[in-house]
Each structure stands twice: as C-alpha cells, then as structure tokens.
Amino acid sequence: MLAMSHAGYVAAGWGISLTALAAYAIRTVRRGRALARQVPPEDRQWT
Amino acid sequence: MLRDAALIAGKDLRVELRSQVTTQQVAPFAILVLILFGVALDPDRGILSRASSGLFWVAVLFCALLAIQRAFTIEAADGGRDALRLSGLDPAGIFLGKAGAIAVQLVALEVVLAIGVVVMYGVEVTGVPLLVATCGAATAGLAAAGTLYGVLAAGLRVRETLLPILLLPVLAPVLIGATKSFEAALGGVAADGWPWCGLLVAFALAYLAIGTLAFGTLMEET
Amino acid sequence: MTAPYAAGSTSSGTTRILGWLSLAGLALLLAYALVWSPADRAQRDAVRLMYVHVPSAIVAFTACAITTLAAAMWLRRRSEGWWVLGGASAEVGLLFTAMTLLTGSIWGRPTWGTYWDWDPRITSTSLLFVMLVGYLALRRIDNETGDAAQRGSRGAIVGLLLFPNVVVVHYSVDWWRSLHQTATITRLDPTIEGTMLFTLVLGIAVFGLVFAWLLVHRFRVGWLEERIDHSGLDEALVERRAEAGVGAAVGDGGTV
C-alpha cells in the first residue's frame, strides 16, 4: 500500500478526515453524558 | 404600504441630511478604499484598469456594510425601534422605506466611486446604458438583502462583526454579476453583460419579495 | 444548583445500531478506497481522496437542506424540536464542509499542482463554510440574549435562506467560472465504472450513516441544553418568588 503514488496526500486526507470525525463524535457523546446528568429522566426518554 | 415606505425613507434621508454621515464619513471611506487598492496593486502595469470593475464593486460592498449598519444604528438610539414597532406602520412599508433610503445613499456612493475609478484607474467609460442598468439592479439587490440581514443583526451588540459574515456570502452573486456586467460594458461587448444584469434583477426581486414578507415577523421578535 | 440525576447519555437503541453499521461501513469503505479499488489512469492514487471528498460534499449540502427545512418548520409550528434540529444540522454540516474543503484542497495538490484553484465548487463551498459559521454565530448570540419567547425568528430567517443562498451562489459561481476555458480536469472521470463507482456509492452511503448518527447525538445534546436552559429559568422564578415571600415554591419535582 505504501507503494501507492501520492501516498502522503492520500494518507493526510483520509487521516485528517477520520480524526476530525472521531474527535467530533467523542466530544458530542461526552457532552451528551455530562448534560444528561443535569436533566430528569422524563425529559430524555430516548433510551 | 407605499405611503408608509415613503414616510420611512423620507425620515431616514432627512436624518442623513442632518447628520451628514454618508457624505462626511462613508464617501471618504470609499475614496480611501480606492486609494488602498491602488497602493496594494501595481498601478503601472495596467492591473488597476483591468481589475477596475471588480475593485469598484468590492468598494461598493464595503460601503454598503457601513450604510446598512448606520441605517439601523439610528433606530437603536432612543428606543426608536420600539417606537417603530408600535407606530402601526405596515412592516412591509418599513422594509421598503429603509431599503429605499439605503439604495439612495448607495447610488450617491456609486457616483463618487465611479468618478474615482475613472480618474484614478484610467478607465474609459463605454456601454453606459448597461452600466446604469447594472447599478440600478445591483443597488436594489444590495439594499433589499442588506436591509433584511441588517434588521437581523440590528438588535445585537455584536452586529458590527456579525453582519459582514452573514451578509457578504449572500451578496456574492451580486458581486459576480455586477463585475461581469461592468467588464462587458467597459470592454465593449455589451451584449455579454445583459444576462448578468438579468441575474441581478432576479436577485433584487427575490430579496424585495422575501424582505416584504418577512419583515413583519422580524420586527415582532427583535 | 441543579441536582444531578441518574447517569445517562444521548445514546439509544437506534444510535447503537447506526453506530455499529457506520463503523462497519467505514471499515469496508477504507478497504475499498485504499486497497481494493484501482488507481485512476490520469490521477493515479489521488483519486482515492475522492471517496471521502465527494461523500463529504453531499452530506454538507444535505445538512444545509435539513437546516433550511427545520427553519421553515419552526416558523410554522414554533416547536422546540425544529429549532434544535436546525442548529444540530448546521454544526454537523460545518464539520463536513470543512472536510470537503480540506480533502478537495489536498487532492488538488498532486492533480492540479496547487492547493487552491478558483474552481466553482471550491469557491462556492468556501462561501458555504462562512455562511454556516455566521448562522451558528447568530444562533449563539440569540441564545444568550432574550428569553425563549423572544429569540428564534432571527436564526430561523437566516436558516431558511441558507439553502436557497447556497444554490444561488453555486450557480452564480459556476456560471462565472464556466467562462474561463481553462482545461480543468473534471473531478471525476465521466467514464467511472466498476469498482470505482461502487466505492463511490459505498462512500456516499456510509457517510450518510455517519451523518445520521452524528445528527441524532448532536440533536439530543441540543435538546438537553434547551431543557437545562428552561429549568434554569424555572429555578430563577422559584427563587424570586421565595425571596418575595410568596407562598410555597411552585416548582415541579427535581428543583431545589
């Protein structure tokens, strides 16, 4: 796979994209957990 | 509705006549922008005259931002906005009136800028009908969209910084259309420019319609 | 202060399914994009970036459409869910717009030789980026000033105009740039077929799942924020009344 042409660019593009997605996902879920503790269960009836 | 519009437009223009903000501050700013472009770009290699259409309209956009901010600042003082809301005037009329006053000031600024561009960038004026039509349509669009987004930003303390990023992307089609139209007129092939003028007219009509419809809702909530 | 309740999160059965499907999909997509699909004739391996760039762009524009739709529904029904959806979609959309610009730019370097080219799509996508930032900034200000009854229309009007503006800007820029007959390599070989086409479609589907997952979570986060905002208001009222010595607290269970 490293014999790929433009390997650096492909890696950078995919790497940054996946990292950004993961970071945003983790941040959102964490925020959700923190906020959920401050709200009574009847106001978050999706589980 | 039109009577209310005339009332508001008249009021705004009278405020301007008395305070002279457009003439004493925004017009000099317009000239300043032209000078800065001249300083930043190489005046000797003809870049200025080739780019003059675009530079003209960018300068108009910057001046429009100031004019729009100003139009709503005068209401903010002394609880003018509440007075407007309670006055019983037709919101659509208020919208058209404010947009009209802004348009008049923009036309005046465009005249100043036009003289500046001809003198400072060495532009030869051809295709005058197209130039005039473009200015009319573009100004209408700028004033309409500007009034709409202006009232959105108006009640907020951060309006000076928020209005530009809200409004300028929306005005990109006006910049594109007006610049292409001017280039066609000044470059001699006016026929190429009229379709762009059409885009400007469509834009203006769309925003005049949206503003007329939406202004009522906005005045209630802000 | 607000009393903590039982631990919870924004997850649910639905999001768990979506989440696992997304992860599996991403793994499959990576396999196809990076290994199993062939390199392009002209672009060679740079084409592999298209499998993240094009799906990102599609998601970004879809998110805009959702924001506009949510704004329209809010203006008609004034229910909080639509307000929250508009903001959630815009924020997730911003992420994907940034990804679109970034991957497009990185793709441009080996293929066009430059990171930036005033190609119509990169220009209008960058304008979209600014529009989303402005919309989110306006919503944040709107949230901080005034109470729930007052705010909303501002953001809703801007949100409503978001997608139409995106469309108008896109076509204006397209028209503008089409006059420049520079030999632009089309972003995707029009004769794309076989494995490459499959990978692209897979990419769009997988990114759609990822978007859905993120949107649901972000929506719920926004929903929780609204609930906390409201309960803060209720508490303030309760405290005010207590201070004024007016009878017993009227609050529901759960407030101090």
Side-chain angles (χ1 to χ4, degrees):
Chain A
M1 198 155 82
L2 286 176
M4 197 191 306
S5 59
H6 311 305
Y9 292 106
V10 176
W14 272 100
I16 296 176
S17 301
L18 292 177
T19 311
L21 277 175
Y24 183 74
I26 292 172
R27 178 172 165 265
T28 306
V29 172
R30 278 230 195 106
R31 235 170 110 200
R33 294 224 178 97
L35 289 174
R37 311 211 65 194
Q38 298 180 41
V39 169
E42 54 267 20
D43 281 343
R44 43 177 165 103
Q45 283 177 337
W46 42 68
T47 347
Chain B
M1 176 181 83
L2 286 176
R3 218 175 334 130
D4 291 348
L7 198 66
I8 294 293
K11 163 187 81 72
D12 276 7
L13 289 173
R14 246 172 295 140
V15 169
E16 168 50 32
L17 275 176
R18 230 172 291 153
S19 63
Q20 299 277 327
V21 165
T22 306
T23 37
Q24 290 179 356
Q25 295 176 24
V26 186
F29 172 74
I31 300 295
L32 180 61
V33 169
L34 289 183
I35 296 174
L36 288 179
F37 283 147
V39 168
L41 303 170
D42 187 343
D44 296 324
R45 282 193 293 169
I47 294 182
L48 281 181
S49 78
R50 279 204 307 274
S52 53
S53 301
L55 297 176
F56 173 87
W57 283 105
V58 170
V60 170
L61 279 186
F62 288 157
C63 292
L65 283 177
L66 290 180
I68 294 163
Q69 304 271 24
R70 172 79 186 142
F72 288 97
T73 311
I74 56 181
E75 307 294 352
D78 305 323
R81 311 193 60 237
D82 290 326
L84 259 187
R85 213 182 315 166
L86 299 170
S87 64
L89 291 171
D90 183 5
I94 299 178
F95 169 75
L96 288 174
K98 289 212 89 66
I102 291 173
V104 168
Q105 293 171 55
L106 279 180
V107 167
L109 288 166
E110 282 161 24
V111 169
V112 170
L113 281 169
I115 297 172
V117 162
V118 167
V119 169
M120 293 197 272
Y121 296 176
V123 167
E124 256 189 55
V125 179
T126 54
V128 174
L130 180 56
L131 291 178
V132 171
T134 304
C135 279
T139 306
L142 288 178
T147 306
L148 178 61
Y149 281 85
V151 79
L152 289 173
L156 309 167
R157 273 161 306 175
V158 292
R159 64 168 167 274
E160 290 88 10
T161 38
L162 192 61
L163 182 66
I165 51 170
L166 280 182
L167 183 59
L168 289 179
V170 167
L171 294 178
V174 175
L175 180 61
I176 293 171
T179 302
K180 296 309 289 183
S181 189
F182 261 43
E183 278 176 3
L186 298 173
V189 194
D192 286 343
W194 288 105
W196 291 106
C197 204
L199 169 66
L200 295 173
V201 172
F203 185 93
L205 289 175
Y207 270 96
L208 282 170
I210 296 171
T212 315
L213 293 171
F215 220 66
T217 317
L218 288 172
M219 291 232 74
E220 293 302 311
E221 304 263 346
T222 53
Chain C
M1 294 292 127
T2 40
Y5 296 94
S9 72
T10 47
S11 305
S12 68
T14 319
T15 58
R16 272 182 265 273
I17 298 175
L18 271 177
W20 286 115
L21 275 176
S22 303
L23 279 176
L26 274 174
L28 191 65
L29 178 63
L30 274 172
Y32 267 99
L34 298 179
V35 184
W36 293 338
S37 68
D40 181 67
R41 265 162 311 187
Q43 306 169 29
R44 297 194 292 152
D45 288 299
V47 74
R48 302 186 188 281
L49 284 170
M50 283 293 111
Y51 303 125
V52 65
H53 174 79
V54 173
S56 296
I58 293 178
V59 168
F61 282 86
T62 306
C64 275
I66 293 176
T67 299
T68 292
L69 187 69
M73 291 307 294
W74 186 89
L75 283 166
R76 282 192 60 208
R77 306 274 182 78
R78 304 276 162 160
S79 64
E80 207 171 278
W82 294 113
W83 173 253
V84 174
L85 180 62
S89 191
E91 193 180 278
V92 178
L94 183 66
L95 173 68
F96 281 92
T97 306
M99 279 166 56
T100 306
L101 284 171
L102 203 72
T103 51
S105 182
I106 294 176
W107 177 89
R109 187 80 174 96
T111 47
W112 293 332
T114 170
Y115 283 115
W116 191 273
D117 171 281
W118 291 94
D119 158 88
R121 279 188 219 121
I122 199 175
T123 310
S124 47
T125 307
S126 46
L127 282 171
L128 167 62
F129 185 81
V130 179
M131 283 196 250
L132 282 173
V133 171
Y135 172 67
L136 289 170
L138 177 64
R139 282 180 62 108
R140 200 176 319 132
I141 309 290
D142 233 5
N143 267 359
E144 288 167 8
T145 50
D147 56 69
Q150 264 190 332
R151 60 167 143 109
S153 274
R154 271 193 269 254
I157 301 278
V158 175
L160 186 67
L161 293 172
L162 184 71
F163 191 70
N165 275 314
V166 166
V167 172
V168 171
V169 166
H170 176 84
Y171 279 110
S172 309
V173 176
D174 223 16
W175 186 9
W176 167 56
R177 291 305 282 168
S178 68
L179 299 173
H180 292 248
Q181 250 92 23
T182 46
T184 43
I185 306 172
T186 50
R187 285 192 178 268
L188 236 30
D189 187 332
T191 62
I192 186 178
E193 58 188 339
T195 322
M196 290 172 77
L197 180 59
F198 173 75
T199 311
L200 187 62
V201 173
L202 178 65
I204 296 172
V206 170
F207 269 57
L209 286 174
V210 172
F211 172 64
W213 184 86
L214 282 173
L215 188 61
V216 172
H217 273 283
R218 183 61 184 85
F219 174 84
R220 290 176 180 166
V221 166
W223 181 262
L224 291 172
E225 281 174 341
E226 289 293 305
R227 296 266 69 74
I228 291 171
D229 253 355
H230 286 314
S231 76
L233 193 59
D234 288 340
E235 278 189 14
L237 284 173
V238 167
E239 280 165 17
R240 198 65 60 79
R241 288 204 188 98
E243 278 169 25
V246 178
V250 185
D252 304 324
T255 52
V256 171

